[in-house]
Amino acid sequence: MASSVLYSLLLLLFLHNPLFSTANLFHKKSLFREELDLSESQQQPLNDTPPTLFFEVTKPIKLPNTKPCSYNILQHDFGYTYGKPPVLANYTPPSHCPSQKFSKIVFQWNATCKGRQYDRIFGVWLGGAELFRSCTAEPRATGIVWSVEKDITRYYSLLMKNQTLAVYLGNLVTKTYTGVYHVNITIQFYPAEENDVSKLGALVSKYHTRLI
Ligand SMILES: *[C@@H]1O[C@H](CO)[C@@H](O)[C@H](O)[C@H]1NC(C)=O
Ligand SMILES: *[C@@H]1O[C@H](CO)[C@@H](O)[C@H](O)[C@H]1NC(C)=O
Ligand SMILES: *[C@@H]1O[C@H](CO)[C@@H](O)[C@H](O)[C@H]1NC(C)=O
């Protein structure tokens, strides 16, 4: 009887062993990562250091010569959000903008983070359509700041109606991983160039005169 109990115990231990070793491997990996991060932060004085600016390496968006109407559609701090539902907000069209005809619409993601954190995957949906999907930058003890832009003019009709905005960024905040992602999502609505409007007006009146 006693030996069969011992046998079962040994078998159980054996069966669990592969699990133990993967757990150890993961732990070693994260320890290594922490050591790396610590050595980096030890080299810099924590105070008086401005946040590091991460810049986007891409072809600039061709913008019209008009002053954009800026519309902040979400400001949120992503702390412990992993596995939670996305953050939801009611989106309403930019009725506050003086002009209601736009030739370019630009999505702008601005974020800051300070502390220790992994790079996190995130997505932005408007009325269920994916506007943007990306990955955060990895912060430093002294903080980072970055901004990403995307031309979303193709979603014009979607942007002119009430919608639900959904943003998911799965972040984990623990004693070790302290970075909270502070995010602003802004949409820049560029009115159609006055030139375009007056050209269009001239064309219409010319056509109109001819008809008369
Ligand atoms: C976002 O960042 C850009 C680039 O630094 C800046 O020009 C813009 O004013 C920022 N917008 C907001 C809402 O913080
Ligand atoms: C977001 O916008 C608010 C209000 O303009 C500003 O105080 C804050 O610093 C901004 N945060 C980021 C991450 O751009
Ligand atoms: C859109 O939402 C706003 C604010 O909630 C509301 O006042 C307005 O009636 C809505 N418009 C439509 C067309 O549903």
Side-chain angles (χ1 to χ4, degrees):
M1 186 67 188
S3 74
S4 83
V5 168
L6 189 68
Y7 176 75
S8 316
L9 272 176
L10 279 175
L11 186 70
L12 210 66
L13 203 65
F14 174 75
L15 282 175
H16 273 82
N17 209 28
L19 280 178
F20 280 137
S21 52
T22 34
N24 279 341
L25 193 68
F26 178 74
H27 190 59
K28 265 181 211 141
K29 255 192 186 164
S30 48
L31 266 184
F32 177 61
R33 191 183 180 100
E34 278 162 36
E35 280 159 17
L36 267 181
D37 288 351
L38 275 178
S39 64
E40 188 193 337
S41 57
Q42 273 162 1
Q43 285 163 3
Q44 298 168 332
L46 289 195
N47 301 325
D48 307 329
T49 310
T52 306
L53 171 72
F54 285 7
F55 57 90
E56 201 185 2
V57 182
T58 187
K59 216 171 121 186
I61 300 168
K62 228 181 141 211
L63 298 173
N65 234 339
T66 54
K67 192 176 173 286
C69 175
S70 185
Y71 185 17
N72 186 265
I73 57 166
L74 188 85
Q75 179 175 1
H76 193 80
D77 301 327
F78 292 89
Y80 203 117
T81 45
Y82 190 84
K84 301 223 173 110
V87 172
L88 301 179
N90 287 327
Y91 170 86
T92 56
S95 51
H96 64 286
C97 292
S99 170
Q100 288 294 309
K101 283 262 173 290
F102 309 105
S103 60
K104 193 68 96 181
I105 305 174
V106 177
F107 171 96
Q108 190 173 47
W109 168 281
N110 285 21
T112 63
C113 189
K114 191 174 181 171
R116 190 181 294 154
Q117 195 51 268
Y118 282 100
D119 40 352
R120 303 292 187 186
I121 301 292
F122 68 90
V124 180
W125 296 264
L126 189 66
E130 185 176 302
L131 283 190
F132 192 67
R133 183 181 288 251
S134 189
C135 178
T136 67
E138 267 191 46
R140 299 177 168 186
T142 49
I144 59 160
V145 53
W146 85 100
S147 177
V148 186
E149 292 188 340
K150 184 185 172 183
D151 182 348
I152 54 162
T153 315
R154 77 182 75 170
Y155 301 99
Y156 200 113
S157 60
L158 199 68
L159 289 156
M160 294 305 131
K161 290 191 192 104
N162 282 357
Q163 309 285 355
T164 299
L165 176 80
V167 183
Y168 182 76
L169 187 161
N171 193 22
L172 280 172
V173 176
T174 62
K175 263 192 215 155
T176 308
Y177 300 103
T178 53
V180 171
Y181 286 102
H182 306 282
V183 176
N184 272 330
I185 301 179
T186 308
I187 301 180
Q188 309 286 357
F189 288 89
Y190 287 83
E193 285 187 56
E194 270 161 37
N195 252 352
D196 293 351
V197 177
S198 55
K199 260 190 223 153
L200 194 73
L203 200 71
V204 168
S205 64
K206 200 167 144 197
Y207 185 65
H208 198 65
T209 349
R210 262 204 217 145
L211 274 184
I212 294 167

